[in-house]
Amino acid sequence: MEPFVALMRRYVVDYTNRGDLAVCDEIMEPDYVLRMGPHVLAGRDDAYKPATRKQLEQFPGLVLTVHDVVTDGHRLALHFSEHGASRRHDDRTAVWGGIGLYTWNGTRLTANRVEQDYQARRRQLADGVPDVVPPPALAPWDTVAVPADPATEEVVRAWAVAGLPATGDVVVDDGRAEETPVEPEEVTVDDVVVAGERAAVHVTVRGPHRDGGPATLHAAALVTVRGGRVAAGRVIRDRLGLERALASAGAR
């Protein structure tokens, strides 16, 4: 088994799906950093674990299902869903997707830049109608490292700079995609992980919101490149964070 993949199996199976925060000390460095939307949780013990504990208190039976893994041996990207019953919502259930781009030092995790579709989660907890968990990856822990392909990176970066436009068989968020909420006047490519024809990318999109006013949207994608274009994959956008930021700006 690839060493980075073996570490991620511990992350999913021993830590997340068992809800065992003690495992964090074994698989993450003390200065571990999680970046999600505009938020930065710097420090495993003082920032990351307390935030995770709150999530586990709300979803004590939380499950993480892996849909896709790509790695070049040095970096790794994961497409996953989290699902469970919320104690804050009379045990209503929900499933929401996420994409994470992970960094390690050869032994333990050092950082993760991730987006999760919390707006889809909020919808399900509000109406009591949960989505269906997508099929799991058949053999995620047998994923083999593939060297990065510069041609793949070039295609994905160009697509990212364009604002991750709809293309091919790319599914956006929960599949109930709305039009792009932010016109991509300025796009920052925050991170890229490339393995052969597969690539994950995280972007920060800035521009006017479709309802007016400046806006910032964070998004992550895990895609496949074929024939010189992005042909398939998944995009997860921080729609809830965008909505909250706009509401806060409006209140001010």
Side-chain angles (χ1 to χ4, degrees), residues 199-210:
V201 61
H202 187 281
V203 299
T204 301
V205 181
R206 298 178 179 87
H209 189 266
R210 62 167 178 258

Side-chain angles (χ1 to χ4, degrees), residues 8 28 81 92 103 116 128 141 145 156 176 185 198 208 233 247 249:
M8 289 308 298
M28 298 174 181
S81 291
R92 287 184 173 182
T103 305
Q116 297 192 52
W141 314 130
V156 171
R176 307 181 181 195
E185 284 189 347
R198 311 295 311 287

Side-chain angles (χ1 to χ4, degrees), residues 4 8 11 32-36 68 70-71 74-80 98-104 109-116 156-157 160 164 189-194 199-203 219-223 234-236:
F4 203 164
M8 289 308 298
Y11 176 93
Y32 179 78
V33 179
L34 181 141
R35 296 177 175 86
M36 182 163 56
D68 201 358
V70 299
T71 183
H74 306 288
R75 298 292 309 283
L76 183 146
L78 195 72
H79 171 213
F80 61 91
I99 293 172
L101 286 68
Y102 295 85
T103 305
W104 76 327
L109 295 171
T110 59
N112 177 23
R113 191 181 289 273
V114 63
E115 297 301 336
Q116 297 192 52
V156 171
R157 280 187 176 275
L164 312 180
V189 177
D190 305 304
D191 198 5
V192 180
V193 177
V194 182
V201 61
H202 187 281
V203 299
L222 179 54
V223 299
R234 189 67 176 261
V235 174
I236 299 292

Side-chain angles (χ1 to χ4, degrees), residues 19-40:
D20 188 352
L21 289 173
V23 177
C24 293
D25 297 357
E26 303 170 14
I27 65 173
M28 298 174 181
E29 291 292 350
D31 58 354
Y32 179 78
V33 179
L34 181 141
R35 296 177 175 86
M36 182 163 56
H39 307 292
V40 179

Side-chain angles (χ1 to χ4, degrees), residues 124-216:
Q124 296 165 66
L125 294 177
D127 65 21
V129 182
D131 292 346
V132 175
V133 180
L138 294 179
W141 314 130
D142 293 314
T143 298
V144 176
V146 179
D149 184 340
T152 296
E153 181 169 352
E154 182 179 357
V155 169
V156 171
R157 280 187 176 275
W159 176 68
V161 168
L164 312 180
T167 182
D169 294 323
V170 174
V171 178
V172 179
D173 300 324
D174 53 5
R176 307 181 181 195
E178 56 190 29
E179 62 182 276
T180 302
V182 178
E183 183 68 26
E185 284 189 347
E186 177 189 350
V187 179
T188 301
V189 177
D190 305 304
D191 198 5
V192 180
V193 177
V194 182
E197 66 177 9
R198 311 295 311 287
V201 61
H202 187 281
V203 299
T204 301
V205 181
R206 298 178 179 87
H209 189 266
R210 62 167 178 258
D211 294 330
T216 299

Side-chain angles (χ1 to χ4, degrees), residues 84 86 88-95 118-132 174 176 239:
S86 172
R88 298 180 187 171
H89 300 83
D90 299 322
D91 287 336
R92 287 184 173 182
T93 55
V95 52
Y118 288 127
Q119 188 172 80
R121 183 178 78 175
R122 185 174 68 170
R123 166 179 55 78
Q124 296 165 66
L125 294 177
D127 65 21
V129 182
D131 292 346
V132 175
D174 53 5
R176 307 181 181 195
R239 298 180 293 162

